[in-house]
């Protein structure tokens, strides 16, 4: 019998806690920083879902400046995950944006070139899991705002986002 | 056998078309404005879902200035629907915000009073249907931005939003 499709809602601002153990699961108790340890938060749940990627990650995020989320994407890239990033041209130029860092690391990045403002904040994990909501990938959003993120495997929700990502990816081909 | 839960994704910017027939379904061909008629768009789908409310509508939206969405909420209120609106204090003070209009009409409005920025954009229809995404309830978002709205009846997604709305509603009780 097939497993029930995953459906999960996360709310922010997230509690502030150390997320080092999520990046280094082999040595979970090694961190000596001053943040609380061993606490599961909305943000740690979000990070775990992103780091669960095994083959492909498609990102379409207006504002991306969060250090931990950037670290997660770079860690996936180094593992050989196929990553595509659709970003907003104006936000990408802002100090603190991580889009330049991802691009320099070798990740395929496209910016929307037209005047239509790119306001999405979604990710597609392995073409199977949709992560979407009001949350921009910034520290302000994670720690300072009331926000929501919805995580779902429902094909009726995931498939249209896959199609829209493909449409925008082709539309913003700089070639 | 129970009907399959509704799951739908809408993408913006929406095509621009007349929505008069959605407000006056009894005389669908009476409008003489210069917009295209008889076209179903992302925005008309969104309006239809909101106008499908039969008992209660809970709104938690950062920016609410869209005329048609305001008209829809007022029409529901006049029909006797129970409406609660959670709004952002700072955006509510902006010219063009419809929150004051809703409040003056008699609708129950609460603003977040603390420094945490309210960035949600969701609606709960009859405690059964969740409408959420990146889309603020503004004309700019509907016609000018790349945005998404997700509509779902999945209890695993709807219930946490009901709980969060209740938590924020109680938290921002001015009494
Ligand atoms: Zn630590
Ligand atoms: Zn018309």
């Amino acid at each position: 019998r097939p497993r029930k499709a995953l459906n999960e809602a996360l709310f922010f601002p997230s509690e502030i806690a150390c997320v080092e153990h999520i990046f280094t699961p082999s040595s979970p108790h090694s961190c000596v920083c001053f943040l609380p340890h061993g606490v599961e938060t909305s943000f740690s749940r979000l990070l775990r879902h992103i780091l669960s990627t095994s083959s492909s990650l498609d990102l379409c995020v207006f504002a991306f400046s969060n250090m931990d989320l950037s670290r997660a994407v770079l860690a996936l890239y180094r593992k050989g995950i196929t990553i595509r990033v659709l970003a907003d041209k104006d936000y990408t130029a802002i100090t603190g944006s991580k889009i330049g860092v991802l691009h320099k690391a070798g990740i395929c990045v496209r910016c929307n070139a037209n005047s239509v403002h790119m306001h999405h904040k979604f990710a597609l994990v392995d073409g199977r899991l949709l992560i979407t909501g009001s949350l921009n990938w910034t520290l302000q959003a994670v720690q300072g705002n009331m926000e929501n993120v919805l995580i779902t495997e429902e094909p009726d929700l995931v498939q249209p986002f896959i199609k829209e990502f493909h449409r925008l990816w082709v539309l913003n081909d700089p070639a």
Side-chain angles (χ1 to χ4, degrees), chain A:
Chain A
R1 199 165 67 172
R3 182 171 63 89
K4 199 169 169 284
L6 176 80
N7 283 305
E8 185 177 342
L10 303 174
F11 295 96
F12 296 80
S14 180
E15 277 182 87
I16 299 174
C18 179
V19 293
E20 191 57 35
H21 61 294
I22 297 172
F23 290 102
T24 53
S26 55
S27 48
H29 304 300
S30 61
C31 185
V32 293
C33 82
F34 293 102
L35 294 174
H37 290 87
V39 185
E40 190 80 79
T41 67
S42 294
F43 186 60
S44 69
R45 295 289 305 157
L46 175 62
L47 271 180
R48 279 182 201 282
H49 281 298
I50 291 160
L51 287 169
S52 77
T53 310
S54 64
S55 65
S56 72
L57 180 70
D58 290 333
L59 285 184
C60 188
V61 180
F62 163 57
F64 189 164
S65 62
N66 186 286
M67 299 267 286
D68 292 314
L69 287 165
S70 164
R71 181 180 174 189
V73 172
L74 289 169
L76 290 173
Y77 182 67
R78 279 187 222 108
K79 272 175 60 180
I81 306 292
T82 303
I83 298 177
R84 297 186 294 182
V85 178
L86 262 170
D88 184 71
K89 197 176 55 172
D90 295 333
Y91 190 86
T92 296
I94 281 173
T95 308
S97 170
K98 294 295 176 195
I99 300 297
V101 177
L102 303 182
H103 182 65
K104 263 181 223 157
I107 292 174
C108 209
V109 173
R110 291 186 183 174
C111 288
N112 70 306
N114 53 22
S115 64
V116 179
H117 195 57
M118 209 286 279
H119 199 239
H120 288 299
K121 315 102 175 35
F122 71 84
L124 289 157
V125 171
D126 298 333
R128 173 190 52 82
L129 185 75
L130 169 66
I131 300 173
T132 190
S134 66
L135 186 91
N136 280 303
W137 287 26
T138 66
L139 191 65
Q140 169 65 30
V142 169
Q143 293 189 356
N145 294 354
M146 290 176 225
E147 306 268 7
N148 63 77
V149 168
L150 190 151
I151 296 150
T152 182
E153 287 175 335
E154 288 296 337
D156 292 347
L157 295 173
V158 178
Q159 289 304 318
F161 277 80
I162 291 176
K163 209 176 138 190
E164 182 69 1
F165 186 91
H166 177 75
R167 191 184 73 81
L168 296 177
W169 188 254
V170 170
L171 186 71
N172 294 296
D173 186 349

